[in-house]
Amino acid sequence: MILRDDWKQTLPAHMKPSSYATKPTRFTLFLRTFVPWQIVRFLIVNIKMMRMTWLNKHSH
Amino acid sequence: MANVVVLGAGVAGHTAAAFLRKWLGREHQVTVVSPKPDYNWLPSNIWVGLGLRTPQSVLVPLKPVYDRVGIVFKQARAVTLFPEGDAAMPSPHVEIEYTAGDKNQQRELVPYDFLINATGPKLKFDATEGLGPEHFTNSVCTADHAFHAAQAFLRDVEAMKHGEQRRFVVGSGHGTCTCQGASLEYVVNLEAELRRHGVRDKAQVIYLSNEYELGDFGMGGAHIRKGGYITPTSIFTASLFAERGIEWILQAHVEKIEKTQISYITLEGEHRTLDYDFAMLLPPFSGVGLKAINASGEDISAALFAPNGFMRVDADYAAKPYEQWQAADWPKTYQSPAYANIFAAGIAFAPPHAISQPHFTKDGLPIFATAPRTGMPSATIGKIIAESIRDQIAANGHALRTASMAKMGAACVASTGTGLTMGSAAAMTVCPIVPDYQTYPEYGRDLRYTMGEIGLAGHWIKVMLHYLFLYKARLLPGWTLIPE
């Protein structure tokens, strides 16, 4: 959705394009910086990225 | 003895040169021609652009590295290719012009048996009036640009600390830009820095892009499996922006930039203006403008290069409508169809077409993101070209190595805030980069390898990659263990 910039200035918050977007809950935000959980995610994301590099080496 | 000449020392060129030097015997020569003295780890320019790192921290001086490993380094720009030789030198060669040192502005003919064109992009700031560091907007395309962007940003932060208000605009400076991932990373980091400086309430932050939808990134967006849903990156990105209070304007072609105002046209053809105090807008890219001359002295540039200046390789360049695009259009070996001993790697190769669906105004003005070629595929392409050349020099009969962007995946870690315990980044992988709707009819990609999440872990990975890849760029012991 594109709105005119001058409309944006006057629109109430619930009518801006961002009001149609999903937003993280407080629990999600907490998990994003909760160190023990993030250590687990660090390992998982690294494994996924290594799978990707392995795939790049062996898919051709 | 074989002469391999690599034009460019970015991710693709540096990777290719390093592997060639490692694999080829000392009787063979590897030469790198680059107009800049340093290797720049571009992903960290985002941090330089906000004053979080120095330019020196993202640069690796090339000469000491190349002297140590035995690569000949010429700080020069390539001017003209003579793939058949000419009267001055009958063998294939490239004319270069030095950009520094005692030979500054002197020209030289460099012979080659194999040539890798990894010259990267020309930053076309002149495509939009008023665009670029020499005019009114900032850039993070080079470490120097990023440093000056940081100075401007910090001046605005100081002004806001004294009660002034500011509007920050970040995104695409033209309707055919790519690299929206870098713009996204910059705008989210900028917003995080405004909060860290305690001035967020005095700032309006706007993302201005030529993308049709948020999260397009020039690759037609992607889908990720998350929270029990298969979610498009448009929602993923809108959520991030909504959370951070970043507003967005899409489908915009910036026409003109003045000191305090950006003029742009939308896909509907409506002309609009946007006042701003600070803008970081990326330019569109083209090839660097290499020319090619055959043995008869005829200009054969059009045979070697696409109209946008990027080098033609083994792609299917036949013009066809979006509905007929397919994965097989994309190159595999990156060998020039005109000369078998010339290859193009990284941004220097001409894509067969965009990845995102093209959109035009009713007057035919293109407004859509063009195809990105990020670090991971660029390095992979550089490496397989090095393997192909190694095989050909060894005459071992091995077929050319392949690495299609329609088969390989890419990982992207976009910083969204810094700090060891409070930082965050969006970690994403997509596979393949170019959607393959024949193999994956519904989403075009393998959802087992396509993921995205935001969190502190992503920031740790981003920091880890910064140090790992700078270590690798220095070609220090064990550098080959670090994947591309």
Side-chain angles (χ1 to χ4, degrees):
Chain A
M1 176 186 290
I2 296 178
L3 296 176
R4 288 180 62 95
D5 305 316
D6 50 348
W7 292 1
K8 280 187 177 176
Q9 303 304 313
T10 54
L11 276 176
H14 72 276
M15 290 178 67
K16 289 190 174 185
S18 56
S19 68
Y20 298 94
T22 56
K23 284 187 180 175
T25 61
R26 285 175 64 181
F27 182 65
T28 300
L29 291 174
F30 165 75
L31 283 181
R32 282 186 189 170
T33 52
F34 182 52
V35 172
W37 177 242
Q38 288 301 313
I39 290 171
V40 173
R41 298 310 304 168
F42 178 80
L43 295 173
I44 290 172
V45 173
N46 268 299
I47 289 167
K48 287 184 174 181
M49 288 188 173
M50 291 306 293
R51 278 172 65 200
M52 178 75 68
T53 55
W54 185 90
L55 187 75
N56 282 352
K57 275 188 178 175
H58 298 90
S59 65
H60 306 295
Chain B
M1 172 191 155
N3 265 329
V4 186
V5 174
V6 182
L7 306 179
V11 172
H14 187 61
T15 302
F19 276 106
L20 281 164
R21 185 64 287 164
K22 174 180 160 53
W23 291 329
L24 296 179
R26 291 288 156 170
E27 69 274 21
H28 304 293
Q29 183 168 298
V30 179
T31 302
V32 171
V33 177
S34 173
K36 293 177 187 165
D38 305 305
Y39 171 90
N40 181 192
W41 176 240
L42 286 167
S44 297
N45 282 6
I46 299 299
W47 290 331
V48 177
L50 292 163
L52 295 164
R53 285 188 186 272
T54 63
Q56 291 72 29
S57 70
V58 299
L59 297 173
V60 175
L62 289 167
K63 186 153 188 353
V65 174
Y66 288 162
D67 284 349
R68 175 163 45 81
V69 300
I71 294 172
V72 177
F73 179 56
K74 296 176 185 291
Q75 191 182 331
R77 68 183 183 93
V79 180
T80 309
L81 304 183
F82 295 89
E84 300 168 6
D86 65 356
M89 183 182 283
S91 61
H93 61 274
V94 54
E95 183 182 33
I96 65 170
E97 181 181 88
Y98 283 90
T99 57
D102 299 339
K103 295 182 179 175
N104 192 19
Q105 295 190 327
Q106 287 182 27
R107 294 202 171 190
E108 182 180 312
L109 304 182
V110 181
Y112 66 80
D113 297 298
F114 293 93
L115 181 84
I116 301 175
N117 174 17
T119 41
K122 176 186 176 188
L123 306 174
K124 283 179 60 183
F125 288 111
D126 57 357
T128 301
E129 185 182 340
L131 180 68
E134 291 183 2
H135 299 284
F136 303 117
T137 63
N138 295 286
S139 153
V140 291
C141 292
T142 69
D144 186 52
H145 287 175
F147 174 69
H148 288 100
Q151 290 181 315
F153 170 71
L154 293 172
R155 277 197 300 273
D156 280 323
V157 167
E158 278 307 306
M160 287 188 286
K161 283 180 178 174
H162 289 88
E164 294 184 30
Q165 294 189 325
R166 288 288 186 270
R167 177 185 273 178
F168 296 85
V169 180
V170 175
S172 314
H174 190 271
T176 59
C177 282
T178 183
C179 274
Q180 286 77 13
S183 299
L184 175 137
E185 200 171 354
Y186 191 78
V187 75
V188 181
N189 267 278
L190 179 143
E191 192 278 335
E193 279 301 289
L194 292 173
R195 276 188 283 123
R196 191 174 68 83
H197 285 288
V199 293
R200 181 65 182 92
D201 59 326
K202 296 184 175 58
Q204 185 184 21
V205 184
I206 298 174
Y207 179 74
L208 173 67
S209 177
N210 59 339
E211 293 162 287
Y212 189 74
E213 283 193 320
L214 282 179
D216 181 285
F217 302 134
M219 54 176 196
H223 289 80
I224 52 179
R225 197 187 299 270
K226 187 84 181 159
Y229 287 86
I230 293 168
T231 305
T233 44
S234 55
I235 289 178
F236 183 82
T237 311
S239 174
L240 177 61
F241 282 3
E243 175 199 337
R244 300 293 184 87
I246 298 169
E247 298 173 43
W248 59 87
I249 299 168
L250 301 175
Q251 305 169 9
H253 162 70
V254 174
E255 297 177 296
K256 183 181 178 184
I257 299 163
E258 294 164 280
K259 194 173 181 184
T260 60
Q261 192 175 72
I262 297 166
S263 302
Y264 64 95
I265 181 171
T266 68
L267 204 51
E268 288 82 13
E270 190 178 348
H271 293 270
R272 299 183 189 165
T273 59
L274 180 67
D275 291 339
Y276 73 99
D277 299 293
F278 172 99
M280 197 298 285
L281 299 176
L282 297 181
F285 295 162
S286 71
V288 296
L290 272 174
K291 286 195 172 301
I293 306 289
N294 69 8
S296 310
E298 295 164 335
D299 190 328
I300 53 167
S301 304
L304 265 76
F305 300 99
N308 57 13
F310 295 122
M311 183 171 264
R312 294 179 189 273
V313 289
D314 60 319
D316 180 356
Y317 293 107
K320 55 181 93 169
Y322 172 72
E323 295 74 20
Q324 292 175 22
W325 291 359
Q326 48 186 332
D329 299 342
W330 286 77
K332 299 171 187 67
T333 67
Y334 304 90
Q335 186 181 46
S336 165
Y339 297 96
N341 60 344
I342 296 180
F343 295 81
I347 292 176
F349 85 81
H353 41 65
I355 302 173
S356 301
Q357 183 174 358
H359 294 276
F360 300 87
T361 64
K362 63 179 186 303
D363 296 325
L365 181 71
I367 304 181
F368 62 93
T370 48
R373 278 142 287 169
T374 55
M376 196 170 182
S378 294
T380 304
I381 293 165
K383 186 177 179 183
I384 66 106
I385 290 173
E387 287 179 298
S388 293
I389 291 174
R390 176 197 63 188
D391 292 341
Q392 292 198 24
I393 290 173
N396 60 13
H398 201 293
L400 291 176
R401 309 283 172 153
T402 62
S404 168
M405 281 175 59
K407 285 206 181 295
M408 73 173 110
C412 173
V413 185
S415 174
T416 56
T418 58
L420 189 63
T421 58
M422 295 304 290
S424 69
M428 289 184 66
T429 61
V430 290
C431 186
I433 301 163
V434 176
D436 180 353
Y437 288 101
Q438 285 165 319
T439 309
Y440 312 105
E442 193 164 8
Y443 300 110
R445 295 196 173 89
D446 187 340
L447 295 192
R448 292 173 302 165
Y449 295 97
T450 302
M451 52 79 66
E453 69 174 65
I454 300 171
L456 180 58
H459 176 66
W460 293 339
I461 294 169
K462 176 93 181 172
V463 173
M464 180 183 76
L465 294 179
H466 169 86
Y467 289 109
L468 274 179
F469 282 103
L470 284 172
Y471 183 90
K472 183 175 181 174
R474 293 187 180 98
L475 307 182
L476 293 169
W479 67 269
T480 54
L481 298 174
I482 300 168
E484 281 63 55

